[in-house]
Amino acid sequence: MRRALVPVLAALLALAPLVPMAGMKQYVLHVMIQILIWSFIGGAWSLMGRFGLVSLGHGAFLGLGAYATVLLWNFWAWSPWLGGAVAVVLTAILAAVVAYPCSRFQVVGHYFGLVTLAVGEVIRLLIIAERDWTGGSLGVSLKPVGSDSLWALQFADKRVFYYGALALWLAGLWVWHRVDRSMARSAMEAIGEDETAAASVGIHVTRFKIAITVLSAALTAVGGVAYAQYIAYVNPDTLAGIGVSLRIVFAVVLGGMYSLLGPAVGAALTIALSEWLRIAFGLKLIGMAETIYGFLLVVFIIFLPAGIVGSAGGLLRGGARYGPPHPPDARRAPA
Amino acid sequence: MSLLELTGVTTGYGHFTALWDVGLRVERGEAVAVVGPNGAGKTTLLRVISGVLPVRAGTLTFDGAALAGRPAHEVVAHGIAHVPEGRRLFPTLTVADNLKMGAYLGRARKHYAETLARVYALFPVLAERRTQRAGSLSGGEQQMLAIGRALMSRPRLILLDEPSMGLAPVMVLRLFDLIRRVREEGYTILVVEQNVRQVLKLVDRAYLLEVGRIKMEGRAAELNDQDFVRKAYVGL
Amino acid sequence: MIDPIFLAEAAVNGVLLGGVLALLALGLNLIFGVIDIVWIAYVDLVMLCMYLVYFLVQVYGWPVWAGGLAAVALGAALGIAVHLLIISPILGSAPINQLLATGGLLFFLQSFATFLWTTDHRSVRLSLPSYDLGGIFLPLTRVIPFAISILALVALYLFLTRTFVGTAIRAVSQDREAMGLMGANPHRIYLVTSAVGGLMAGLAGALLIFLYSVHPFFGGQLGPLTFMICVLGGLGNMVGAFVASFIMSEIISIAGVLWSTEMGYVIAFVVFIVMIFVRPGGILARRG
């Protein structure tokens, strides 16, 4: 039954733009495109997160991917296909530069989180500091070509982006599935549990960690490129830094870090929630929507510690199928 | 009424049951040993008495008070001091601060200076090293500090977990002498030990624990024979 | 070429800022070391305390000292509230959940402040004399907060080394279970630690409002910096955090004069990243 879930879901989503939705169609599509892109990004994050590599700096990878593509297009008219590829390569290099010493010197847990957080801040501050290029904290808009163009990846019709985002999301699920099925999974889980033990049975810890970090960062950069092309505007606070990094992690943990559709459920929920609150409050009571959003996040984390999919799965099965093999802080019982 | 009395105590970790139906008592002023091979559950027994591990079934009374289900910090307040396996000192705190933590509880805190003088009299080396970090002491000194720290709470029962572990043979003999002096001060002791011959010279009675069950009990003098000692070491 | 006198002045300012940063870093490090949880929203509590002083002093005309004391009290109360309402229920959860819960608090506090007080920048300006020390400008509005910070740090040091509870806080950070065997209820120790950590945040807020203007996103830049200082100094290592505060504040101050404020932070963060690889146990850790 579970095997059929994704194809059925994909088919339903593929048909969505054909459903008449009165005047709401453009807006619904807009929300769904965002959900798909952030699901993809969340999935990329969870590739690392589920193996105990909790990154608080994915904003750096997202921002680097988005900004590099936009700036290459604006200043040198490099097509986003080319610029995006360059941006992804740059991001992969950044990830490798961070991941290598982290694995080499066994920077784990809180320390890993704080190193990645620092990387995220460095990228955000560099974007703000280089204002002549990046527009500083005001952000920068993508130079429009004025017509639909596959070369420039700009389209007036939201449906094009919708199908693009859907394809991207499915591709992300495929990568997730491949990693899940591959040897790397058991290896990485062993690392998540006990690094020394994993190393002693011949698992090349350093190589696995770097590989999964680079993969996760590169996919996140792809997500950044997609988001920038769709929104046609980049800004350091929405695409880099601690705020966006935390939002990614929130969505994933809320949905369930250890299951295929967890990140998508989390992204759908957080985006739907913040959109709903935004509309409910409109321009009145500025800040109230975000206040409730923050409050609900705390409540969710306290009462649904395994995430929605995790908690639901656990209830259905009467056990924690979608949990880490052991609680991360469980101490071995003394004899 | 015994000072400490366990009846039918069962406990474990997760799905694993480490102690089955254990019955044990310690009278006031007595020294009692629990011996047995590695993995028999000796440490678990002390951990369940001091409330670090919950009791799953059975009763645990101390001086008439039911202690099963009470957390560790409440058990200490009743007068049980636990010198844990591996000593568990606070390594970067000074010797004096470690002793001070032993007297954390209100009752002990009131008599802090007085108890400290007694502990220093018992272990003069601790007085000499009072400003050193606990982590910098030798193994024997660390064990003395761990015992001294337990005495600081003015306990009515001291639980000693493998006091001789990791010590050189000469040091083991000295340590048992010191424990004997602690006994002579009038403290009640329940000790878990690998070094069966030495510990049987120290205590009044002993229990043999094997794979989580009490297998034998008797007066120390009677148990000090080849057969018992062999069982205590290898469980055969 | 920059006049050396500007660099000297930046260095002095770095020292003066370092004192207040140390207050923040030590408060967070205490919680970090004892409860093993990163309060991502720590500096956002400082932000609330800054607003309190602003309103009490600037709007309601309280004397400065009374506003400061109120902020300290609010800080301690917030510390207790965060522990009881957010941390305590999830002490057994995965570390990532603990981190995210305080992350949610960060969103909550920033947006709630926006809702209540808009994004306007507010400040309390005192007119106090300045001294001229051989061309270096030394305003009392910076010297006094520095002096109060140092006094508070000395008081914290005495509390942690001289009192039973303070020593127990240090002991719990080394061995939680052993401290339980001493008869200390770990949850009470956590509560006291959170209160003291919150109190430090309140005091830092009461001092920072005289140096910077406050706005809902005040925690954005100082927050990450404070975590970095804690790690740079070594988890739970109070002296290390103290030294690291001054290293970071000097980098930010001097690089800020040479290039720009953002570059100052960039360099400080890069130094942090490099240091964590070179000296993972903190700057004062003995190797090996």
Side-chain angles (χ1 to χ4, degrees):
Chain A
M1 189 213 94
R2 248 174 62 76
R3 289 188 66 85
L5 194 58
V6 170
V8 168
L9 202 62
L12 282 178
L13 285 171
L15 293 174
L18 306 177
V19 178
M21 285 175 268
M24 291 295 287
K25 195 163 185 171
Q26 289 299 310
Y27 175 69
V28 171
L29 275 185
H30 169 70
V31 172
M32 289 184 74
I33 291 167
Q34 295 207 52
I35 289 176
L36 287 171
I37 293 177
W38 288 105
S39 299
F40 172 79
I41 294 167
W45 182 90
S46 75
L47 284 178
M48 286 169 70
R50 60 199 294 246
F51 296 122
L53 294 168
V54 173
S55 158
L56 299 180
H58 263 45
F61 307 137
L62 194 68
L64 187 56
Y67 265 90
T69 315
V70 168
L71 295 182
L72 285 172
W73 168 256
N74 281 6
F75 285 94
W76 291 301
W78 286 26
S79 158
W81 293 102
L82 184 60
V86 171
V88 170
V89 171
L90 282 177
T91 309
I93 292 171
L94 173 69
V97 166
V98 176
Y100 176 73
C102 277
S103 344
R104 180 84 179 63
F105 298 105
Q106 298 220 354
V107 175
V108 292
H110 287 323
Y111 288 87
F112 185 78
L114 289 173
V115 166
T116 50
L117 188 143
V119 172
E121 281 299 290
V122 165
I123 296 294
R124 184 181 73 92
L125 289 164
L126 282 176
I127 290 171
I128 296 177
E130 294 301 314
R131 19 185 94 69
D132 296 344
W133 293 84
T134 60
S137 44
L138 294 176
V140 60
S141 292
L142 196 64
K143 251 187 207 163
V145 280
S147 62
D148 283 0
S149 159
L150 190 61
W151 168 249
L153 260 182
Q154 295 183 16
F155 307 96
D157 192 339
K158 282 199 183 345
R159 277 175 303 182
V160 182
F161 282 107
Y162 179 81
Y163 284 112
L166 183 61
L168 193 64
W169 177 62
L170 288 171
L173 290 187
W174 179 77
V175 172
W176 199 98
H177 186 73
R178 280 298 304 268
V179 171
D180 197 54
R181 281 299 117 103
S182 73
M183 276 297 290
R185 175 187 174 175
S186 41
M188 287 301 294
E189 272 179 4
I191 293 167
E193 267 178 69
D194 187 340
E195 267 193 33
T196 328
S200 67
V201 295
I203 294 166
H204 201 310
V205 179
T206 310
R207 198 184 301 157
F208 272 120
K209 275 189 167 181
I210 297 174
I212 205 80
T213 307
V214 169
L215 179 64
S216 169
L219 291 179
T220 305
V222 171
V225 175
Y227 186 78
Q229 290 306 126
Y230 172 60
I231 300 288
Y233 166 73
V234 285
N235 165 311
D237 290 315
T238 54
L239 275 175
I242 182 172
V244 66
S245 300
L246 277 179
R247 270 168 209 271
I248 297 172
V249 188
F250 261 128
V252 177
V253 172
L254 210 56
M257 190 173 6
Y258 301 95
S259 56
L260 180 64
L261 293 177
V265 171
L269 191 91
T270 49
I271 291 172
L273 179 66
S274 67
E275 282 294 315
W276 179 72
L277 289 169
R278 201 170 59 81
I279 293 169
F281 287 102
L283 289 175
K284 299 167 295 187
L285 307 180
I286 289 176
M288 202 55 205
E290 289 279 290
T291 304
I292 296 174
Y293 177 76
F295 175 76
L296 288 176
L297 289 181
V298 178
V299 171
F300 280 137
I301 293 291
I302 292 177
F303 292 103
L304 284 176
I308 292 166
V309 179
S311 301
L315 281 179
L316 288 175
R317 276 155 224 272
R321 159 73 175 76
Y322 294 110
H326 296 290
D329 55 350
R331 294 236 183 99
R332 224 164 297 154
Chain B
M1 188 178 51
S2 305
L3 181 64
L4 176 76
E5 190 153 4
L6 277 70
T7 43
V9 167
T10 298
T11 192
Y13 308 89
H15 295 295
F16 171 67
T17 302
L19 286 183
W20 307 82
D21 193 24
V22 167
L24 177 147
R25 64 191 164 79
V26 179
E27 306 294 339
R28 282 176 192 77
E30 213 184 7
V32 176
V34 176
V35 292
N38 262 327
K42 304 190 296 293
T43 292
T44 305
L45 177 64
L46 295 193
R47 286 166 68 85
V48 83
I49 295 172
S50 64
V52 179
L53 265 182
V55 175
R56 292 214 177 136
T59 60
L60 200 168
T61 57
F62 183 73
D63 202 13
L67 286 190
R70 320 285 344 152
H73 62 266
E74 287 182 23
V75 171
V76 188
H78 277 91
I80 298 181
H82 185 168
V83 182
E85 186 184 25
R87 298 160 199 135
R88 305 287 286 268
L89 298 171
F90 306 113
T92 73
L93 264 54
T94 61
V95 168
D97 277 346
N98 267 275
L99 291 173
K100 191 168 163 185
M101 286 302 95
Y104 184 78
L105 276 174
R107 181 171 48 84
R109 217 184 281 190
K110 251 179 258 152
H111 302 280
Y112 170 59
E114 180 196 330
T115 327
L116 189 65
R118 268 176 75 188
V119 168
Y120 280 156
L122 207 52
F123 305 108
V125 67
L126 295 183
E128 282 165 34
R129 307 221 186 281
R130 68 176 72 135
T131 56
Q132 278 187 25
R133 288 176 165 215
S136 70
L137 300 183
S138 75
E141 290 164 348
Q142 289 197 12
Q143 189 60 54
M144 287 181 216
L145 178 54
I147 296 172
R149 188 177 65 173
L151 295 179
M152 289 302 293
S153 70
R154 302 173 73 87
R156 287 185 291 161
L157 170 67
I158 303 169
L159 309 177
L160 286 176
D161 196 342
E162 304 270 3
S164 75
M165 191 168 70
L167 300 184
V170 181
M171 197 57 227
V172 173
L173 292 180
R174 268 193 63 199
L175 187 77
F176 276 106
D177 276 341
L178 283 167
I179 297 175
R180 193 164 293 122
R181 285 192 54 198
V182 171
R183 252 218 85 178
E184 285 157 5
E185 298 256 316
Y187 288 101
T188 308
I189 295 175
L190 177 62
V191 58
V192 147
E193 187 50 66
Q194 285 273 319
N195 200 328
V196 184
R197 286 196 190 285
Q198 284 300 329
V199 83
L200 286 179
K201 287 184 203 160
L202 180 75
V203 298
D204 306 305
R205 284 189 305 118
Y207 291 86
L208 173 65
L209 193 67
E210 261 182 44
V211 246
R213 292 172 201 274
I214 298 282
K215 283 292 164 70
M216 210 187 278
E217 186 215 333
R219 305 215 53 86
E222 297 157 17
L223 291 174
N224 204 354
D225 63 57
Q226 278 304 325
D227 190 42
F228 179 81
V229 172
R230 200 190 69 234
K231 276 191 172 158
Y233 274 114
V234 294
L236 287 170
Chain C
M1 202 44 217
I2 288 179
D3 192 335
I5 200 77
F6 285 119
L7 283 182
E9 189 169 301
V12 170
N13 274 328
V15 171
L16 296 180
L17 173 67
V20 187
L21 275 185
L23 212 53
L24 280 177
L26 267 72
L28 185 63
N29 206 4
L30 193 64
I31 297 168
F32 204 174
V34 173
I35 315 178
D36 201 22
I37 287 183
V38 188
W39 283 20
I40 291 280
Y42 187 69
V43 181
D44 299 275
L45 303 179
V46 174
M47 176 263 294
L48 291 187
C49 296
M50 290 171 78
Y51 270 110
L52 181 74
V53 179
Y54 167 81
F55 281 109
L56 291 181
V57 173
Q58 201 79 349
V59 180
Y60 298 107
W62 285 34
V64 170
W65 61 268
L69 282 183
V72 171
L74 176 68
L78 286 172
I80 290 172
V82 169
H83 184 77
L84 287 183
L85 297 178
I86 299 177
I87 305 298
S88 190
I90 53 171
L91 270 176
S93 297
I96 181 174
N97 287 40
Q98 300 172 336
L99 200 127
L100 284 181
T102 63
L105 180 66
L106 177 143
F107 284 127
F108 173 79
L109 292 178
Q110 291 186 351
S111 335
F112 198 50
T114 309
F115 168 68
L116 289 178
W117 306 306
T118 74
T119 53
D120 292 351
H121 290 228
R122 295 159 203 263
S123 55
V124 180
R125 290 280 166 261
L126 296 180
S127 47
L128 289 175
S130 288
Y131 296 104
D132 190 329
L133 232 73
I136 297 171
F137 186 61
L138 209 61
L140 266 187
T141 45
R142 281 175 168 273
V143 175
I144 292 175
F146 173 77
I148 294 177
S149 301
I150 297 299
L151 282 178
L153 292 173
V154 170
L156 178 72
Y157 176 80
L158 292 176
F159 169 69
L160 289 176
T161 53
R162 296 286 192 276
T163 66
F164 269 92
V165 178
T167 313
I169 285 175
R170 288 190 297 143
V172 165
S173 71
Q174 296 185 20
D175 194 329
R176 202 173 294 187
E177 191 181 287
M179 202 52 220
L181 292 177
M182 304 296 109
N185 180 352
H187 292 282
R188 256 203 59 206
I189 302 273
Y190 289 172
L191 201 59
V192 174
T193 305
S194 302
V196 173
L199 189 145
M200 309 277 286
L203 181 60
L207 300 175
L208 281 167
I209 188 69
F210 300 106
L211 307 179
Y212 299 98
S213 47
V214 64
H215 53 94
F217 302 96
F218 181 83
Q221 209 143 37
L222 232 42
L225 184 68
T226 309
F227 313 139
M228 313 286 138
I229 291 173
C230 284
V231 176
L232 197 60
L235 204 62
N237 184 338
M238 291 292 168
V239 182
F242 182 77
V243 175
S245 303
F246 287 95
I247 294 177
M248 289 303 230
S249 67
E250 283 299 333
I251 292 175
I252 289 168
S253 237
I254 292 177
V257 170
L258 291 179
W259 297 286
S260 68
T261 314
E262 287 91 6
M263 283 314 285
Y265 277 88
V266 167
I267 294 169
F269 290 160
V270 170
V271 166
F272 161 76
I273 295 169
V274 172
M275 285 301 285
I276 213 171
F277 299 138
V278 184
R279 299 199 76 89
I283 39 173
L284 295 186
R286 272 164 285 193
R287 300 227 72 172

